[in-house]
């Protein structure tokens, strides 16, 4: 009984916080959200949370979008995964006879033509099982199903043919096209694998909306209780003004910051940053230039990516007040942002550092002084005797020294030596304690780089980094004293020393050599 009560209580909190995550969008004019709902009686099975959009909203395919409806299914642990069978088994949604897909189909019929302008979300902390056919169908970009993949295979003997037949017969549909029309409405939201992860994301949105965040030490909050209390008195849908009224009554509106903190960002990865535009304004987005993690041409780093970095940096420098800089982006972009935001420029900017418990703003205490000796381990490996260039292999989260050495011997004939740098006491994903430690590490690394000989300083510094974004950004802020720099990116899918490729050159100059494997 106690376990059931705990599960029910946590499930209600999860649903309430999913509601507030969407309600915060009311206060972002770029979201096009005009109304939100909670426990709507006329949307059976997808009544947990609702979002209604204005006339200009489009989905990820460019189609008109009027509403999102959420079915929130919470689990207290991670002992299960979402599979093709989950969607047709009533037990998955704690029902006796009707499955999730049947409820999806029923709501599609209820909505009629409006269904084409609606997204129906299954929100769950469980992930989509990668070994199940659902893992092949799930689209990480749109959160929908890849109907093109489901069409593969002409008979039931094929994997997708079996899935199609099982789902079609379960829904009593006459054709596959009817099945595709139903499935085109489905979205699966598994971004928040725990109540804690959801709360971290929500707090960022609450702060952005001008609301008080949920304190880390709180077990019970007004946010968890308020939607149910409002529903109890017949209030289930809210416009921006109506919601703000209730938030003020409950004392949830934060005091106006002075000066206001500006959220800005640059994005070269879409996964996990799909809704960054709701948080960061302006947002420089260069994802369209990339094929996965790769650029079709190395020249695009300087010719297309770097101008966007500089444009955002100029905007930050020209705008007074503090800035929180979100960077779901390649290491080279993070370094280049630091380079363009040299502290001498006078910008008040702090990087947002992602972590296992959620993202946090890392503002270092620049007045804190400590000896930099002993913060890092440094060793030198000779490559080509007498050559003028130096490579620095910075391994904070993991040691990249051996791979860089191997790459240098094969592809960098102008490189004299590799400077290997790691933190003390050891390389680790948790090696950096906080923002001030990150700053001191960057300063210690910069100090070693500046110790190059006059001949080496006249050459090129080749930079290879595996470090948290904050360390990379702070090192970039030190880099104007490094001379000519070439940054490198690593192709993780290839996973070989040859997988390095030159990226951004600083200061930007097309004439700089860019050693990459042929």
């Amino acid at each position: 009984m106690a376990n059931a009560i705990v599960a029910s209580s946590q499930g209600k909190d999860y649903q309430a916080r999913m509601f507030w995550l969407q309600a915060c969008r009311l206060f972002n004019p770029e979201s096009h959200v005009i109304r939100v709902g909670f426990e709507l009686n006329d949307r059976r099975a997808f009544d947990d949370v609702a979002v209604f959009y204005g006339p200009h909203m489009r989905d990820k395919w460019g189609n008109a979008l009027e509403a999102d409806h959420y079915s929130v299914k919470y689990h207290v642990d991670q002992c299960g995964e979402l599979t093709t069978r989950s969607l047709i088994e009533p037990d998955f949604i704690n029902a006796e006879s009707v499955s999730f897909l049947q409820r999806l189909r029923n709501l599609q019929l209820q909505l009629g033509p409006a269904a084409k302008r609606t997204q129906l979300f299954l929100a769950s902390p469980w992930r989509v099982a990668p070994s199940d056919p659902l893992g092949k169908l799930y689209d990480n970009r749109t959160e929908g199903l890849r109907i093109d993949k489901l069409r593969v295979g002409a008979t039931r003997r094929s994997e997708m043919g079996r899935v199609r037949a099982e789902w079609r017969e379960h829904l009593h549909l006459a054709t596959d096209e009817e099945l595709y029309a139903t499935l085109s409405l489905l979205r699966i939201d598994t971004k928040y694998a725990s109540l804690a992860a959801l709360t971290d994301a929500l707090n960022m949105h609450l702060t952005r909306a001008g609301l008080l965040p949920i304190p880390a030490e709180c077990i019970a909050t007004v946010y968890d209780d308020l939607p149910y209390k409002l529903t109890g008195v017949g209030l289930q849908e809210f416009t921006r003004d109506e919601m703000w009224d209730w938030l003020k009554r409950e004392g949830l509106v934060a005091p106006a910051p002075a000066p206001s903190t500006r959220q800005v960002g640059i994005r070269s990865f879409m996964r996990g940053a799909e809704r960054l535009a709701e948080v960061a304004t302006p947002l420089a987005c260069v994802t369209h230039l990339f094929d996965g993690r790769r650029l079709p041409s190395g020249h695009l780093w300087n010719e297309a990516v770097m101008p966007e970095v500089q444009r955002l940096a100029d905007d930050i420098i020209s705008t007074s007040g503090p800035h929180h800089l979100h960077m779901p982006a390649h290491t080279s972009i993070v370094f280049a942002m630091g380079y363009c935001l040299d502290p001498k420029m006078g910008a008040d900017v702090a990087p947002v550092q992602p972590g296992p418990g959620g993202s946090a703003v890392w503002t270092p205490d620049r007045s804190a002084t400590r000896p930099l000796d002993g913060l890092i381990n440094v060793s030198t490996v000779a490559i080509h005797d007498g050559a003028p260039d130096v490579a620095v292999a910075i391994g904070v989260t993991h040691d990249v020294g051996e791979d860089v050495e191997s790459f240098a011997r094969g592809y960098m004939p102008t490189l004299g030596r590799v400077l290997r740098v790691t933190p003390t006491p050891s390389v680790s994903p948790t090696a950096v304690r906080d923002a001030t430690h990150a700053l001191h590490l960057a300063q210690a690394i910069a100090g070693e780089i500046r110790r190059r000989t006059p001949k080496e300083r006249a050459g090129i510094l080749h930079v290879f980094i595996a470090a948290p974004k904050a360390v990379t950004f702070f090192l970039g802020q030190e880099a104007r004293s490094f001379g000519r720099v070439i940054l490198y990116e690593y192709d993780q899918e290839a996973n070989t020393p040859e997988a390095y490729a030159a990226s951004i050159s600083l200061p930007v100059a097309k004439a700089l050599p860019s050693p990459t494997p042929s």
Side-chain angles (χ1 to χ4, degrees), residues 243-445:
M243 178 57 72
W244 192 254
D245 228 19
W246 280 104
L247 290 163
K248 284 198 294 185
R249 290 189 206 184
E250 297 296 327
L252 295 172
V253 176
S260 61
T261 298
R262 194 164 175 243
Q263 307 289 330
V264 297
I266 186 164
R267 174 175 66 187
S268 61
F269 302 140
M270 185 62 73
R271 187 175 182 184
E274 296 89 346
R275 292 176 174 168
L276 184 57
E278 299 171 18
V279 177
T281 306
L283 171 65
C285 183
V286 294
T287 57
H288 63 284
L289 298 173
F290 289 84
D291 179 10
R293 291 184 62 94
R294 305 184 189 93
L295 278 179
S297 169
H299 294 295
L300 290 174
W301 281 107
N302 279 349
E303 295 174 3
V305 175
M306 195 58 198
E308 293 300 315
V309 173
Q310 187 65 63
R311 200 169 358 257
L312 179 61
D314 290 345
D315 180 277
I316 293 170
I317 293 166
S318 64
T319 307
S320 61
H323 294 74
H324 292 169
L325 178 55
H326 302 257
M327 295 178 287
H330 290 71
T331 297
S332 300
I333 294 175
V334 177
F335 186 99
M337 283 302 311
Y339 186 92
C340 293
L341 292 169
D342 178 339
K344 293 179 182 177
M345 301 294 181
D348 184 356
V349 59
V352 176
Q353 175 65 52
S359 296
V361 178
W362 275 30
T363 305
D365 181 358
R366 291 187 177 269
S367 66
T369 59
R370 61 160 294 175
L372 300 182
D373 294 343
L375 282 180
I376 56 175
N377 301 308
V378 182
S379 61
T380 294
V381 178
I383 303 297
H384 301 295
D385 189 35
D389 293 356
V390 173
V392 57
I394 302 166
V396 178
T397 54
H398 58 277
D399 193 348
V400 296
E402 290 187 6
D403 280 354
V404 172
E405 289 174 32
S406 177
F407 178 79
R409 293 186 192 282
Y411 303 102
M412 303 179 75
T414 63
L415 193 77
R417 62 188 178 107
V418 173
L419 194 64
R420 293 183 59 170
V421 180
T422 57
T424 57
S426 63
V427 173
S428 164
T430 60
V432 183
R433 297 187 298 274
D434 54 34
T436 303
H437 185 211
L439 175 64
H440 289 159
L441 281 174
Q443 291 172 339
I445 295 168

Side-chain angles (χ1 to χ4, degrees), residues 403 407 411 489-502 517:
D403 280 354
F407 178 79
Y411 303 102
E489 288 292 332
Y490 186 71
D491 184 349
Q492 296 178 354
E493 293 180 4
N495 196 29
T496 65
E498 292 75 20
Y500 280 109

